[in-house]
Amino acid sequence: MRGAGRETGGRRVRCPLASPLAAAAAMALLHTRRLLAAPRLAAAAAARASSWWSHVEMGPPDPILGVTEAFKRDTNSKKMNLGVGAYRDDNGKPYVLNCVRKAEAMIASKKMDKEYLPIGGLADFTRASAELALGENSEAFKSGRYVTVQGISGTGSLRIGANFLQRFFKASRDVYLPKPSWGNHTPIFRDAGLQLQAYRYYDPKTCSLDFSGAMDDISKIPEKSIILLHACAHNPTGVDPRQEQWKELAAVVKKRNLLVYFDMAYQGFASGDINRDAWAVRYFIEQGINIVLAQSYAKNMGLYGERAGAFTVICSDAEEAKRVESQLKILIRPMYSNPPLNGARIASIILNTPDLRKEWLVEVKGMADRIISMRTQLVSNLKKEGSSHNWQHITDQIGMFCFTGLKPEQVERLIKEFSIYMTKDGRISVAGVTSGNVGYLAHAIHQVTK
């Protein structure tokens, strides 16, 4: 007999005892496997319980990364990603500046080595960075009462400064940030051991600067506290004080004897004019306010992945600057030993080669002008759509980012109905807007706001 049945008149008939026997055998086998598996499962559970990292919880996803991931999954041919803080050309493609390509070619032709940089970075780069920020005619620059060290772009430069303040600024642990501020400011200063406070800055009702609120709050900040100011192109709002307002801010800061930490990530990229974008930094120094400053070359030279930046301290005199420099090096050495080479070389060659510097100034103005143009075109298209809202804040704001004033539920509709992706607070990267999609964006915004 094969199997558990027999043929009867062309029909297969199962043995009445076969099914119960097979079922019993299967149950016995399953029970045996469970018994054998139990020790392994218990061991795995015990291992998890005894792991050094069993208490580590899953961290929250980065909100901008989440926007990008959702955008990638979307199959709509008209989809737009307005969450990414990186420049795009009018075809929506990443853009490498011609002056950068030329600087890279010069580096390649010289067959330069790959030796370590000094702890403080490439000397030609740090000097050129200080001159770019302070101005060639700056008294602080010419007298040498400053120190500039190379940092790992803007974030790394900010962190060097935060660690320096934590160790040497004894007057206060409090850092006052504008409300809102760049999302990374909070963990940078918090993880350096400083305490986060806030002052009013943005008025969501008008989508503009809450100047009276800012002045009122700053006038009440305890003396000798630290205050962070965005030098230009405030991230995330795109709202900057006017020069007259900067003067009033400088006066109250000086009266309260606050230490000013300037974050300048967009010099040249905001207005297209490097001197205009550095005006606040230079004015504060002229008023006798000895600032600290972080710079980045990610946006204004498109050196995003090269991680080129700088941190500067304005001191009382050159001797003090030397002492501060020595301590900055002591801080940097155990953090990352010395900074990356290539980005600093590229930026240094551009800044120190007259023809390339001239070409860079034209190119950075071209990037700024394209973003300004997209702001104007967006407002124009919203009017063409018949929108009755006042969108002037879009053109009043400056830089890569724009606080549109859109509510979370409106943003949700833009994502679901139009495949237009942005963060829930309604912030858009204007760099993601092109002459080819600005009409579609205006149409979609009108649909969710009318």
Side-chain angles (χ1 to χ4, degrees):
M1 176 187 288
R2 286 186 183 177
R6 55 189 174 83
E7 297 292 337
T8 306
R11 202 161 42 87
R12 186 171 178 81
V13 180
R14 295 196 61 80
C15 174
L17 294 177
S19 293
L21 287 173
M27 288 298 291
L29 180 61
L30 181 61
H31 182 65
T32 302
R33 285 176 176 172
R34 283 175 177 169
L35 289 174
L36 292 172
R40 291 199 301 271
L41 293 171
R48 283 196 299 272
S50 65
S51 167
W52 296 112
W53 317 118
S54 59
H55 63 287
V56 177
E57 297 178 359
M58 180 65 71
D62 183 277
I64 295 176
L65 183 63
V67 169
T68 300
E69 290 302 315
F71 168 80
K72 288 178 179 177
R73 292 192 298 268
D74 198 316
T75 57
N76 187 343
S77 61
K78 292 184 177 181
K79 66 181 181 179
M80 296 176 66
N81 185 359
L82 303 181
V84 179
Y87 182 77
R88 297 290 182 262
D89 65 18
D90 201 43
N91 295 313
K93 303 296 183 185
Y95 177 61
V96 180
L97 279 65
N98 290 327
C99 62
V100 169
R101 293 292 192 205
K102 290 177 181 179
E104 289 176 324
M106 289 172 68
I107 292 168
S109 68
K110 292 179 181 178
K111 297 182 178 179
M112 302 168 83
D113 62 46
K114 299 292 185 182
E115 293 295 297
Y116 290 126
L117 281 177
I119 297 171
L122 186 67
D124 288 345
F125 169 78
T126 56
R127 188 182 187 281
S129 295
E131 182 182 346
L132 181 68
L134 308 181
E136 60 182 347
N137 296 318
S138 162
E139 175 274 326
F141 178 74
K142 290 194 291 186
S143 67
R145 64 179 185 94
Y146 75 93
V147 54
T148 300
V149 293
Q150 184 181 334
I152 302 175
S153 200
T155 300
S157 301
L158 282 162
R159 185 57 187 265
I160 292 170
N163 280 30
F164 178 74
L165 296 180
Q166 191 277 332
R167 184 170 293 185
F168 291 103
F169 191 70
K170 301 301 184 183
S172 176
R173 300 285 89 180
D174 290 333
V175 180
Y176 285 79
L177 302 180
K179 193 162 51 176
S181 196
W182 180 44
N184 219 14
H185 280 148
T186 293
I188 285 170
F189 289 102
R190 182 195 62 211
D191 291 356
L194 299 172
Q195 302 296 317
L196 275 299
Q197 308 293 343
Y199 61 91
R200 281 175 285 175
Y201 186 84
Y202 177 75
D203 183 353
K205 293 179 182 177
T206 61
C207 298
S208 62
L209 178 66
D210 181 3
F211 184 65
S212 61
M215 288 290 289
D216 185 51
D217 283 358
I218 294 169
S219 68
K220 296 173 182 174
I221 293 177
E223 291 188 11
K224 299 182 179 180
S225 298
I226 304 159
I227 183 170
L228 184 128
L229 298 170
H230 297 234
C232 59
H234 180 275
N235 180 1
T237 69
V239 173
D240 286 353
R242 299 188 304 274
Q243 287 188 4
E244 299 77 19
Q245 293 172 325
W246 274 122
K247 289 178 181 179
E248 292 187 55
L249 287 166
V252 71
V253 161
K254 190 173 183 179
K255 184 178 180 181
R256 300 303 297 166
N257 195 19
L258 304 178
L259 175 64
V260 176
Y261 198 143
F262 268 111
D263 184 1
M264 186 159 63
Y266 299 93
Q267 186 181 2
F269 191 91
S271 69
D273 183 335
I274 59 170
N275 296 313
R276 178 180 170 184
D277 291 346
W279 189 90
V281 168
R282 297 173 186 179
Y283 180 79
F284 273 61
I285 296 170
E286 287 169 7
Q287 298 307 301
I289 301 169
N290 287 345
I291 66 161
V292 297
L293 166 73
Q295 289 168 268
S296 168
Y297 291 93
K299 307 298 191 299
N300 59 8
M301 285 190 183
L303 298 177
Y304 301 98
E306 297 289 359
R307 314 309 290 147
F311 174 70
T312 296
V313 182
I314 304 299
C315 301
S316 298
D317 52 46
E319 188 274 333
E320 182 177 272
K322 290 294 182 185
R323 287 187 279 112
V324 170
E325 181 181 26
S326 71
Q327 293 294 342
L328 286 170
K329 289 177 180 178
I330 289 169
L331 277 170
I332 290 168
R333 177 66 171 141
M335 287 172 71
Y336 54 84
S337 194
N338 39 55
L341 177 60
N342 198 53
R345 274 182 175 166
I346 293 168
S348 177
I349 287 171
I350 291 170
L351 293 173
N352 292 305
T353 307
D355 287 347
L356 287 186
R357 185 185 179 102
K358 187 182 297 183
E359 185 172 0
W360 170 60
L361 293 175
V362 171
E363 289 190 277
V364 74
K365 187 177 188 306
M367 291 191 291
D369 285 350
R370 194 190 85 73
I371 286 178
I372 292 167
S373 172
M374 287 303 104
R375 290 178 178 274
T376 303
Q377 288 185 45
L378 178 56
V379 173
S380 176
N381 276 274
L382 280 163
K383 289 177 181 177
K384 287 178 183 177
E385 287 287 331
S387 177
S388 59
H389 295 286
N390 181 3
W391 298 102
Q392 185 181 333
H393 60 276
I394 292 177
T395 49
D396 285 347
Q397 294 171 15
I398 195 169
M400 180 174 288
F401 298 109
C402 171
F403 249 31
T404 59
L406 293 169
K407 298 177 176 63
E409 59 270 20
Q410 294 169 331
V411 171
E412 193 67 27
R413 283 190 63 193
L414 285 173
I415 293 171
K416 287 185 175 180
E417 297 175 27
F418 299 95
S419 298
I420 296 174
Y421 292 84
M422 63 186 73
T423 49
K424 290 180 181 179
D425 56 11
R427 186 200 80 164
I428 65 170
S429 172
V430 187
V433 184
T434 70
S435 56
N437 63 25
V438 66
Y440 178 69
L441 175 62
H443 172 72
I445 291 175
H446 177 54
Q447 292 301 310
V448 304
T449 57
K450 65 180 182 179

